[in-house]
């Protein structure tokens, strides 16, 4: 079977996109600033090709951060204990403390706070990743009889993520320190203390 030129270009584009995202992730994890010209050179591609693969710099950073968000949330699922509200509180506590301890994210937010605020707080890949996984957790706990939800998991998940984000990134919004305990208190209030079970 012979692939058409269009199919070959599509495969090359897909491969190039993944290579670009992986390379950009390496730059982010090293705590360095992402430069599109340098990234294109490292990939052996022109800037025009790189932009065709991944969009502009904000688009690429958004993907890198959304994938980092997914890794953080998936790890928190494994770490959290208990069930119902107790599990959700452990889950969000693990997420937020992991984010606070992230050296690459600290480097980015110190160097480019407004870029991060724009990417994190606007609807997009980062919010979608966090809200989607949170909705999964809510739906699972509800199906097990550990939570009584008054809103759809997707709606409640997005609301909980937003509450945690605002308090977690308080220093970027003019606050002094991340307000993790305040965020957890609001999560507990929204879920209902009567849902709490387990240790």
């Amino acid at each position: 079977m012979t692939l058409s030129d269009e199919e070959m270009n599509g495969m090359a584009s897909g491969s190039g996109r993944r290579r670009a995202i992986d390379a950009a992730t390496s730059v982010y994890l090293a705590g360095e600033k992402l430069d599109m010209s340098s990234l294109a050179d490292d990939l052996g591609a022109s800037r025009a090709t790189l932009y065709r693969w991944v969009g502009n710099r904000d688009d690429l950073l958004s993907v890198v951060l959304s994938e980092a968000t997914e890794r953080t949330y998936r790890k928190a699922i494994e770490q959290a204990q208990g069930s119902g509200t107790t599990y959700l509180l452990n889950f969000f506590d693990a997420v937020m403390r992991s984010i606070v301890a992230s050296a690459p994210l600290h480097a980015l937010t110190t160097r480019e706070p407004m870029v991060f605020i724009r990417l994190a707080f606007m609807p997009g890949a980062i919010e979608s990743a966090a809200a989607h996984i949170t909705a999964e957790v809510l739906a699972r706990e509800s199906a097990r009889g550990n939570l009584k939800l008054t809103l759809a998991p997707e709606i409640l998940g997005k609301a909980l993520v937003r509450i945690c984000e605002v308090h977690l990134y308080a220093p970027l919004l003019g606050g002094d320190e991340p307000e993790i305990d305040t965020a957890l208190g609001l999560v507990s209030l929204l879920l209902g203390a009567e849902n709490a079970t387990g240790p």
Side-chain angles (χ1 to χ4, degrees):
M1 177 179 175
T2 303
L3 296 176
S4 67
D5 289 342
E6 183 177 348
E7 290 171 324
M8 290 289 288
N9 289 337
M11 289 176 63
S13 177
S15 174
R17 175 177 171 79
R18 187 67 254 173
R19 288 194 302 121
I21 293 170
D22 290 344
T25 298
S26 295
V27 172
Y28 165 71
L29 293 177
E32 300 171 358
K33 184 174 182 178
L34 179 62
D35 180 86
M36 297 296 275
S37 293
S38 297
L39 185 64
D41 290 342
D42 291 342
L43 293 168
S46 67
R47 277 176 59 93
T49 297
L50 177 60
Y51 276 77
R52 188 169 66 250
W53 285 343
V54 298
N56 61 30
R57 183 175 184 269
D58 276 7
D59 294 333
L60 180 54
L61 268 175
S62 181
V63 173
V64 169
L65 291 172
S66 70
E67 291 188 355
T69 296
E70 178 159 1
R71 291 191 296 271
T72 298
Y73 273 66
R74 295 293 180 194
K75 183 177 181 181
I77 287 176
E78 299 173 0
Q79 294 174 333
Q81 299 179 352
S83 60
T85 295
T86 298
Y87 180 86
L88 267 296
L89 292 174
N90 281 327
F91 168 72
F92 278 118
D93 184 70
V95 166
M96 289 189 285
R97 295 192 188 282
S98 178
I99 290 173
V100 168
S102 172
L105 186 60
H106 178 72
L108 174 62
T109 56
T110 298
R111 185 176 58 244
E112 302 178 78
M114 298 310 298
V115 170
F116 178 77
I117 287 174
R118 182 171 67 250
L119 296 178
F121 285 96
M122 289 183 64
I126 300 171
E127 178 195 55
S128 294
H132 177 74
I133 295 172
T134 301
E136 285 182 6
V137 174
L138 289 167
R140 185 195 69 193
E141 289 299 296
S142 177
R144 291 176 177 176
N146 298 327
L147 279 176
K148 297 178 181 178
L149 302 181
T150 57
L151 293 171
E154 295 77 15
I155 296 173
L156 183 57
K158 183 177 291 188
L160 294 177
V161 166
R162 280 300 187 204
I163 286 171
C164 290
E165 285 178 340
V166 168
H167 291 86
L168 179 62
Y169 301 126
L172 298 179
L173 302 172
D176 295 324
E177 298 289 339
E179 300 169 351
I180 293 177
D181 289 340
T182 300
L184 294 175
L186 291 170
V187 168
S188 180
L189 185 65
L190 273 181
L191 293 176
E194 70 277 5
N195 277 318
T197 59

